[in-house]
Amino acid sequence: DYHPESHWLNVAEIFTHSSNVGSALMAERMGGIRPRAFLSRLGLTGKVSLELPEVGAPLVPSASNWSEITTMTIAYGHGIAVNAVQMASAVAGIINDGVKVQPTLLKASQHPSAPNKIVSSRTSQQMRALMRLVVTHGTAKQADVPGYLVGGKTGTADKLNGKHYNENARRASFIGVFPITSPRYLVMVILDEPKATAKTHGYATAGWTTAPLVGKVIGQIGPLLGISPIEPDIALAAEQKLLKNLG
């Protein structure tokens, strides 16, 4: 773990603190078949359907090369490479009451007649609660925007240099969703090799680079989209109702 905690972590803490160890252990317990099938259900193992012929295929290990180590590393984002459209679509489906969202470059007003469920409604509610905790208590505190109930997930990956990872070159990303209690918009930002500065206290990870950037974007586009910030007491009540889904 990049910033290991000093105590045993529960599932919410594994997600909130981006614990690679915890994610790998959970994946190991499930085995390789179920995680691979779930990635396929999310649309992350095949070429995304989009109105562009230039869309590339993801880099995914074949079934014959899918080892126990593959299962564990993919659990925290290594060992697989997908494009931003696929990632945004997968997250959108998970938070959209579990109904798969088909990415498109066209303004669409019609909804599919037969919704494709990728997770249950209960799981979707729990994932939204976890994404809110990432912003309030985890790695993305700087993505919070008063009155907009932002939820999200950070991602920081060292880049490959030959057959080894370069600890001084990384790709940082953050997916922000608002309002997380009733999602309407998703904002994803990726920075290629962000640099640590005095303002980021020497860090170049997603929590210090892409998360605050997404927060600024949401703070500016929220009013333009006609979404007014809600009062603190109403926001707190909505947040508490959401978090009850975690028990």
Side-chain angles (χ1 to χ4, degrees):
D1 285 351
Y2 182 74
H3 42 78
E5 299 297 314
S6 58
H7 62 280
W8 293 104
L9 305 180
N10 60 33
V11 174
E13 290 172 318
I14 289 171
F15 190 85
T16 302
H17 297 297
S18 293
S19 172
N20 296 341
V21 176
S23 299
L25 289 173
M26 286 194 292
E28 181 187 34
R29 181 176 295 185
M30 288 189 292
I33 297 178
R34 291 172 65 189
R36 182 179 175 86
F38 182 61
L39 291 176
S40 177
R41 201 157 73 240
L42 291 176
L44 298 178
T45 59
K47 189 174 180 180
V48 66
S49 176
L50 198 64
E51 299 88 0
L52 283 176
E54 297 86 0
V55 175
L59 303 179
V60 184
S62 64
S64 60
N65 291 324
W66 195 286
S67 64
E68 183 180 22
I69 293 298
T70 302
T71 297
M72 297 173 76
T73 56
I74 287 180
Y76 56 84
H78 285 219
I80 183 174
V82 302
N83 63 46
V85 173
Q86 285 180 295
M87 180 58 70
S89 174
V91 174
I94 289 174
I95 63 171
N96 184 42
D97 198 37
V99 178
K100 186 174 179 61
V101 175
Q102 175 59 43
T104 178
L105 301 176
L106 306 177
K107 185 176 182 179
S109 58
Q110 295 183 346
H111 298 282
S113 56
N116 181 6
K117 275 272 191 176
I118 53 179
V119 297
S120 67
S121 297
R122 181 172 181 268
T123 297
S124 179
Q125 292 172 345
Q126 291 176 323
M127 289 305 302
R128 295 204 302 269
L130 289 173
M131 292 176 76
R132 179 57 181 164
L133 285 179
V134 171
V135 175
T136 58
H137 292 80
T139 54
K141 295 184 181 71
Q142 297 191 70
D144 204 15
V145 182
Y148 281 102
L149 289 171
V150 180
K153 186 69 189 78
T154 54
T156 304
D158 293 338
K159 298 180 69 173
L160 276 177
N161 184 8
K163 293 185 178 181
H164 303 279
Y165 286 110
N166 183 351
E167 295 182 356
N168 297 314
R170 60 188 53 83
R171 185 170 285 117
S173 63
F174 182 71
I175 293 181
V177 178
F178 74 104
I180 195 63
T181 50
S182 182
R184 291 183 60 188
Y185 295 97
L186 182 150
V187 179
M188 182 174 184
V189 168
I190 303 173
L191 292 179
D192 190 22
E193 297 193 19
K195 306 302 180 184
T197 65
K199 189 175 181 180
T200 65
H201 300 277
Y203 293 101
T205 51
W208 289 96
T209 57
T210 51
L213 182 53
V214 168
K216 290 181 180 179
V217 170
I218 291 175
Q220 292 190 32
I221 69 173
L224 298 177
L225 293 170
I227 303 177
S228 301
I230 58 179
E231 296 297 325
D233 56 336
I234 299 177
L236 179 60
E239 179 181 273
Q240 291 176 338
K241 182 179 179 180
L242 176 67
L243 295 180
K244 283 184 178 180
N245 292 292
L246 296 178

